Amino acid sequence: FDDLFAITRARVPVLKGRDINACNPYSPDGSLSFDLCFLNDIAVVNSSLLREYSLVDNRVRMLMLAVKSFAKKNNIASAAGGTLSSYTWLNLVIFYLQCIGFLPNLQCRELMKQHDWHPDPGENPWHCINGLETYYLPTETMAKGGIWKQPDRFANTKLPNLLYGFLNFYARVFPQQTTAVSIRFGKCTLQKTSFQKTSKIWRLCIEDPFETFDSHCPHDLGCHLDEGGQRKVMNCLAQARDRLGDLLQQAGLDDGLIQSFVDLFETGQKSGAKSHNHQTGKQGRKGSD
């Protein structure tokens, strides 16, 4: 591990660092940044839920890594810096994929009922943390049930297409002035006014999947955005959408194109790299920050 340092004044104090042996294909040295906290059970179930979504389809995990790299290279992955945390960016990825039908809603009670799966806080303490409903349908149970199936139209969808769709969704499509991001609902139904004390019309509102707006401790993950941070995030999304769109017109659709896209932000260039045939490295371990 490298670059270890503590942030003691965060909402939950954390130790930040970098795993130099993570084999992350979207960083020059293969490293992966992480946040580590202690005595924070809600963070454990939050990370576990993200991991379950990453197991549905390998492209989910790869898109998560690509978006995290994009956000970090643009300096828009810091809640302390007035933008969004890495955890929040991953929520944005999942919500986008739910909205287009690529991912299911693992917190959907009807889906749990269809699989005859029921939470049991008495036997499994992770199903109820701090008085919150912290359960979800395990991916393994869903796969065995065979009830939810990813639509056939996504069978041959390449990672660059998914990344472009993500950027376009938040830059052009998502109605952020009126609607909150919520992977608990998995569609654009939660109104920002649900967060009466924290939501602002000028910024993204993002519901934590367990610390929900109707719980005893509602948590809007977008509350760290200041006005400058919101502008920077939206500008970066719009610019990245246009740059990736240019690359998609210039190059063949292979996952190596993502590396060329990520390189744009490291080199400061506004056009695609000369070669788009880089091969991605070994798949990185699942991040938990």
Side-chain angles (χ1 to χ4, degrees):
F1 300 107
D2 198 5
D3 298 336
L4 296 173
F5 63 96
I7 299 180
T8 59
R9 296 186 180 182
R11 180 174 180 266
V12 176
V14 296
L15 178 67
K16 300 181 74 71
R18 190 164 55 91
D19 183 349
I20 60 177
N21 297 313
C23 299
N24 178 8
Y26 300 124
S27 66
D29 58 0
S31 65
L32 183 68
S33 298
F34 63 86
D35 294 350
L36 182 65
C37 60
F38 302 89
L39 302 177
N40 185 16
D41 289 343
I42 193 67
V44 175
V45 289
N46 278 336
S47 297
S48 296
L49 176 60
L50 299 189
R51 179 180 182 275
E52 286 298 313
Y53 277 113
S54 75
L55 295 174
V56 175
D57 188 298
N58 186 57
R59 289 169 291 182
V60 177
R61 183 172 65 85
M62 299 305 289
L63 183 60
M64 287 178 168
L65 286 172
V67 169
K68 283 183 65 173
S69 295
F70 154 75
K72 288 181 179 297
K73 288 180 182 296
N74 279 275
N75 296 316
I76 52 174
S78 171
T83 58
L84 300 172
S85 69
S86 294
Y87 168 71
T88 303
W89 280 106
L90 299 189
N91 272 263
L92 293 177
V93 170
I94 293 170
F95 182 70
Y96 156 67
L97 294 175
Q98 289 174 325
C99 286
I100 65 173
F102 193 93
L103 281 179
N105 179 359
L106 296 180
Q107 293 177 272
C108 175
R109 295 186 181 184
E110 181 60 29
L111 190 61
M112 296 177 191
K113 183 178 179 181
Q114 291 173 356
H115 288 81
D116 195 27
W117 186 91
H118 307 280
D120 188 358
E123 291 294 327
N124 190 337
W126 293 107
H127 287 176
C128 183
I129 302 296
N130 300 334
L132 300 169
E133 296 178 347
T134 52
Y135 53 83
Y136 50 83
L137 181 67
T139 301
E140 183 178 3
T141 300
M142 184 186 69
K144 289 180 179 178
I147 296 172
W148 182 88
K149 293 183 179 180
Q150 189 180 79
D152 292 339
R153 66 181 182 273
F154 295 121
N156 298 314
T157 301
K158 299 292 186 178
L159 185 59
N161 288 128
L162 290 175
L163 179 56
Y164 179 84
F166 169 84
L167 298 168
N168 185 64
F169 181 75
Y170 288 107
R172 300 285 182 87
V173 178
F174 179 65
Q176 63 166 301
Q177 290 186 329
T178 59
T179 307
V181 171
S182 173
I183 68 174
R184 179 172 65 108
F185 286 97
K187 50 188 176 182
C188 297
T189 57
L190 181 61
Q191 298 299 298
K192 290 178 75 170
T193 52
S194 300
F195 286 90
Q196 298 179 1
K197 295 182 179 180
T198 61
S199 66
K200 305 291 183 183
I201 192 171
W202 51 264
R203 68 160 173 81
L204 285 164
C205 179
I206 305 146
E207 182 187 52
D208 184 273
F210 300 125
E211 295 176 315
T212 60
F213 82 91
D214 53 355
S215 70
H216 63 83
C217 54
H219 186 194
D220 173 8
L221 299 172
C223 68
H224 303 287
L225 280 167
D226 56 31
E227 293 189 40
Q230 170 71 13
R231 285 194 299 271
K232 187 174 182 180
V233 166
M234 297 311 298
N235 287 339
C236 285
L237 288 169
Q239 292 173 10
R241 172 195 177 276
D242 294 341
R243 293 182 183 183
L244 182 56
D246 290 340
L247 278 177
L248 289 172
Q249 293 180 352
Q250 298 171 17
L253 278 180
D254 59 62
D255 290 353
L257 180 63
I258 299 296
Q259 184 61 56
S260 297
F261 169 73
V262 171
D263 287 345
L264 288 175
F265 303 100
E266 186 171 73
T267 62
Q269 296 176 353
K270 292 188 177 181
S271 59
K274 293 181 179 179
S275 173
H276 307 286
N277 297 317
H278 304 298
Q279 298 297 317
T280 55
K282 296 180 180 179
Q283 296 174 347
R285 298 184 310 184
K286 299 174 180 65
S288 61
D289 54 336

